[in-house]
Amino acid sequence: MPVFNEAVSIRRNLAIILAAVDDESDIELIAVDDGSTDATSLELARAARDDPRIRPLYFTRNFGKEAAIHAGLVASKGACAIVLDADLQHPPALIPEMLRHWRSGFAVVECVKVDRGDESWLARVYAQSFYWMFRHFAGMDLRNHSDYKLLDRAVVELYHALPERRRFFRGLIHWAGYPTARIPFEVAERELGASRWSRLRLLRYAIDNLTSFSSLPLHLITALGFMTLALGVLIGFNSLYQKFMGVALDGFTTVNLLLIIIGGSLMIALGIIGHYLGRLYDEIKGRPPYLLKPPPREDA
């Protein structure tokens, strides 16, 4: 369970989640503090002292939700692992049903949104645009998918073995293609606090995830080049036609138009190439996706 700046509600939420699995005798709840800047780490440490089923991990700084999911799965020891959010927007009451599907033979059990909850129209447009692009660019339909998933130990081990350092959990599990059961759910409203995701951060997250699974934007550069060439040829033919017809030309207009089109196309192309080069650079460096630190002390 990734946790970030949830000091106000984390102990209450942990109790609600654990109450949903009271019938399970052998369970651990791994809460990964993703570099919170409030008292979340202290609250997790206190909760772990009160309940031995809670096992907190602490990042040295904010590495992001994907890194927190990765760290939690690496630390997990059970025959299966469930990933869920700390804010209770993933209903803990579904956990017993997820376990029943897993025991019936499914390697993955994922909860699929039937309603996105209290989202603004702009957030819905963002989400729909991302899933449309992911479906057409990467060939994977992730509409209404969530990170609320149960993974069999074999799937967890596969996730460990994948070499990527910057990961997209939903995409990688879908890509793996294991037998999957789906459970519909409605996203609950946050009872306390607000989402920590800004529009800019969501946009960056979407671009990173899209380019993790598709090289199509690189191929679009070729199409962009052909379109620019075709437009330039048309303008060239029009200029020659006007010259032969003896029509006076405003040369500056034509030249400026060509410069704008060609310059803009080149900058877009360089931006796309630069993004992929940046991803290669991050992978080649080989730095760990997250760093852990010791638990906090009460007197710190």
Side-chain angles (χ1 to χ4, degrees), residues 21-28 53 77-80 103:
V21 289
D22 268 345
D23 294 337
E24 300 295 329
S25 59
D26 187 14
I27 193 167
E28 62 177 357
R53 294 175 297 177
K77 302 174 182 176
C80 68
R103 287 172 176 140

Side-chain angles (χ1 to χ4, degrees), residues 189-207:
E189 293 185 19
R190 289 179 62 101
E191 296 186 18
L192 296 170
S195 174
R196 308 306 195 274
W197 289 84
S198 66
R199 295 285 178 260
L200 184 60
R201 192 177 175 191
L202 280 171
L203 179 61
R204 181 178 177 183
Y205 181 69
I207 292 172

Side-chain angles (χ1 to χ4, degrees), residues 22-292:
D22 268 345
D23 294 337
E24 300 295 329
S25 59
D26 187 14
I27 193 167
E28 62 177 357
L29 197 164
I30 302 172
V32 183
D33 178 23
D34 186 17
S36 297
T37 55
D38 61 4
T40 296
S41 58
L42 281 172
E43 293 297 327
L44 285 176
R46 291 166 182 161
R49 283 199 303 269
D50 295 339
D51 191 330
R53 294 175 297 177
I54 298 172
R55 184 150 68 97
L57 302 175
Y58 307 94
F59 282 178
T60 58
R61 64 170 179 83
N62 180 244
F63 285 95
K65 183 179 182 181
E66 294 292 338
I69 292 174
H70 187 190
L73 290 175
V74 168
S76 67
K77 302 174 182 176
C80 68
I82 295 173
V83 176
L84 77 165
D85 286 350
D87 55 13
L88 300 185
Q89 289 192 300
H90 294 161
L94 294 178
I95 293 176
E97 185 178 353
M98 297 171 80
L99 290 169
R100 283 196 297 272
H101 282 293
W102 169 66
R103 287 172 176 140
S104 70
F106 288 97
V108 176
V109 183
E110 60 185 17
C111 294
V112 180
K113 302 171 188 174
V114 295
D115 179 74
R116 299 190 62 87
D118 187 21
E119 274 189 341
S120 66
W121 67 269
L122 184 58
R124 291 178 187 273
V125 169
Y126 264 63
Q128 290 170 3
S129 300
F130 169 71
Y131 290 128
W132 183 89
M133 293 180 69
F134 208 90
R135 187 167 70 254
H136 289 85
F137 281 29
M140 297 167 60
D141 190 355
L142 298 181
R143 282 175 297 176
N144 297 325
H145 283 215
S146 72
D147 292 330
Y148 194 13
K149 300 183 190 297
L150 178 150
L151 310 180
D152 183 78
R153 171 50 52 181
V155 185
V156 174
E157 294 298 333
L158 167 74
Y159 195 77
H160 293 179
L162 293 173
E164 289 107 317
R165 286 172 172 79
R166 296 175 66 177
R167 299 171 178 232
F168 180 33
F169 175 69
R170 267 174 270 179
L172 287 171
I173 298 304
H174 184 83
W175 167 85
Y178 281 91
T180 301
R182 291 179 173 84
I183 301 173
F185 79 101
E186 294 186 2
V187 178
E189 293 185 19
R190 289 179 62 101
E191 296 186 18
L192 296 170
S195 174
R196 308 306 195 274
W197 289 84
S198 66
R199 295 285 178 260
L200 184 60
R201 192 177 175 191
L202 280 171
L203 179 61
R204 181 178 177 183
Y205 181 69
I207 292 172
D208 283 346
N209 293 335
L210 182 63
T211 52
S212 291
F213 283 86
S214 176
S215 61
L216 184 59
L218 286 173
H219 301 298
L220 290 178
I221 294 175
T222 304
L224 183 64
F226 278 115
M227 289 169 58
T228 306
L229 177 62
L231 185 59
V233 168
L234 289 175
I235 294 175
F237 276 125
N238 182 60
S239 299
L240 289 173
Y241 173 76
Q242 290 181 333
K243 179 178 177 63
F244 290 136
M245 294 297 295
V247 180
L249 294 174
D250 289 328
F252 287 111
T253 302
T254 305
V255 171
N256 287 339
L257 183 61
L258 282 172
L259 286 175
I260 291 169
I261 293 171
I262 294 172
S265 300
L266 287 173
M267 294 306 293
I268 291 171
L270 288 173
I272 294 173
I273 294 170
H275 178 80
Y276 279 95
L277 285 175
R279 293 192 64 86
L280 286 172
Y281 174 64
D282 288 339
E283 293 292 331
I284 290 170
K285 281 189 296 188
R287 291 177 185 168
Y290 57 86
L291 295 172
L292 298 175

